[in-house]
Amino acid sequence: MRKSIFMLFMVVVGQFLSGQVSALEKNALIDLYNSANGDTWTKSWDLKAPVSSWEGVSIENNKVVSINLMNNNLRGNLPNSIGDLANLKVLNLALNRIGGDIPGGITKLEKLVVLRLGKNKITGAIPENIGNLEKLVVLDLFYNSLSGELPVSMGDIKKLKVVLLSHNELIGTIPLTFGKLKYLERLELADNNFSGVVPENLDNLTHLKMLVLAENNFRGHFPEDILNLPNLELVQLQNNKFGKHHFNSDAAKDRLALFDFDGNKIRDFDINKLNSEKDIRTAETRFEDGVN
């Protein structure tokens, strides 16, 4: 009996000393530290101290729910064991120098709401089963070296509001499944190698505010019904291979804050005025996480 009580005591003490997280989660964090050259981070971790004291790690009910190491000089790769952080809601590693592929383990994070890996050096394709992240609201992978096509499964992430994929090396077309993303507010695909036609069913995206398709190889007729979406404020289509357009929807053009197509810019404005306090900035890379 005494032995059982002693063993229970040691388990409780062990959890307290580790910052009250499981050994599995702590090991996943240590893997991240080692894989991303933690000893060179701007704000590093003392691995001998409780996890609760580690920079950017948030814990709730003895579980790791958030990692925010934006602009912290992370290098190296992301470990596949990051998928062991099963309760993670926010992963913000933007503005670093992380390379390698996106590990498949990330698609195991079914509670993830915000995934921000923008402005790193990540290569390879977006995981085909990224649609497993059913609670994802913000997907930021902009300004990396991603290649391959957009996974069809992205259309299964029903809660997506922000998709930032500009400045990569992505190819192919916009999947028809994107027409199902009814809560989408920002779709930014500029400066890639996309081709094909823009799906007409994007006119289903009634919450869309920003559509940025500039600097690609899109062709054919741009579906002008998209310009009549009720919340649309910014459209950038320039430097593609669309057919000749007169864009007869004058009412839509008058309503848009910016409409830019093939060098013909109608109205101009400060892009930051479109961003709410919970939005994600792109070029200026100001990141704020608002997760309910």
Side-chain angles (χ1 to χ4, degrees):
M1 181 68 178
R2 289 182 179 180
K3 185 176 181 180
S4 298
I5 294 174
F6 176 75
M7 291 298 293
L8 178 61
F9 173 77
M10 292 303 295
V11 169
V12 172
V13 170
Q15 283 193 330
F16 176 79
L17 292 176
S18 66
Q20 301 200 2
V21 302
S22 69
L24 183 66
E25 290 196 333
K26 182 176 181 180
N27 287 337
L29 292 173
I30 292 174
D31 284 349
L32 174 61
Y33 177 91
N34 290 328
S35 296
N37 294 285
D39 56 344
T40 66
W41 294 356
T42 304
K43 295 181 179 179
S44 192
W45 292 345
D46 179 359
L47 299 185
K48 296 180 180 178
V51 173
S52 56
S53 70
W54 294 2
E55 177 71 25
V57 178
S58 297
I59 299 172
E60 293 179 4
N61 299 320
N62 302 332
K63 297 176 176 62
V64 178
V65 296
S66 176
I67 301 174
N68 187 344
L69 294 172
M70 182 188 71
N71 197 21
N72 199 42
N73 198 38
L74 275 67
R75 301 166 181 260
N77 303 325
L78 296 180
N80 195 54
S81 59
I82 202 162
D84 293 334
L85 299 169
N87 298 283
L88 204 62
K89 296 180 182 178
V90 175
L91 180 60
N92 184 353
L93 306 179
L95 289 171
N96 285 291
R97 299 181 183 180
I98 299 167
D101 294 352
I102 298 174
I106 276 185
T107 64
K108 294 167 56 180
L109 302 176
E110 296 181 356
K111 295 183 180 181
L112 202 62
V113 178
V114 175
L115 175 59
R116 290 179 168 163
L117 303 176
K119 211 158 188 185
N120 277 284
K121 298 179 180 295
I122 299 171
T123 57
I126 300 172
E128 283 294 327
N129 57 341
I130 195 169
N132 292 347
L133 304 180
E134 294 182 354
K135 295 188 177 181
L136 200 64
V137 173
V138 174
L139 175 63
D140 159 34
L141 302 175
F142 98 104
Y143 226 117
N144 281 284
S145 296
L146 292 167
S147 57
E149 300 187 9
L150 296 179
V152 172
S153 70
M154 286 181 65
D156 296 328
I157 311 176
K158 297 296 192 293
K159 296 184 178 181
L160 266 180
K161 289 185 177 181
V162 176
V163 175
L164 305 181
L165 300 175
S166 294
H167 304 285
N168 279 287
E169 299 168 14
L170 297 165
I171 62 171
T173 61
I174 300 175
L176 289 174
T177 55
F178 273 43
K180 300 189 297 182
L181 300 175
K182 63 179 182 178
Y183 297 111
L184 195 63
E185 297 179 4
R186 295 179 66 177
L187 178 59
E188 302 191 14
L189 305 178
D191 197 11
N192 279 284
N193 294 306
F194 291 116
S195 59
V197 298
V198 175
E200 293 187 5
N201 67 353
L202 294 189
D203 64 8
N204 294 331
L205 309 182
T206 55
H207 287 82
L208 196 65
K209 297 178 181 179
M210 302 174 68
L211 177 63
V212 181
L213 304 180
E215 307 289 344
N216 280 290
N217 294 303
F218 290 113
R219 58 178 172 77
H221 182 79
F222 179 80
E224 292 189 38
D225 284 347
I226 293 174
L227 300 181
N228 293 315
L229 288 171
N231 293 295
L232 196 62
E233 299 180 53
L234 178 148
V235 177
Q236 290 185 298
L237 305 176
Q238 68 272 22
N239 295 326
N240 278 285
K241 297 179 179 178
F242 292 121
K244 283 194 173 182
H245 279 277
H246 299 290
F247 291 106
N248 296 318
S249 183
D250 292 331
K253 289 187 295 185
D254 290 341
R255 178 172 46 77
L256 296 175
L258 175 67
F259 180 42
D260 196 353
F261 60 102
D262 292 331
N264 298 305
K265 186 180 292 185
I266 298 174
R267 305 178 71 181
D268 203 355
F269 76 114
D270 178 0
I271 191 171
N272 287 325
K273 289 180 180 179
L274 286 187
N275 295 314
S276 71
E277 287 304 306
K278 291 183 179 180
D279 273 341
I280 179 173
R281 277 59 173 174
T282 54
E284 283 69 35
T285 54
R286 178 186 174 194
F287 292 82
E288 296 173 354
D289 291 321
V291 179
N292 296 322

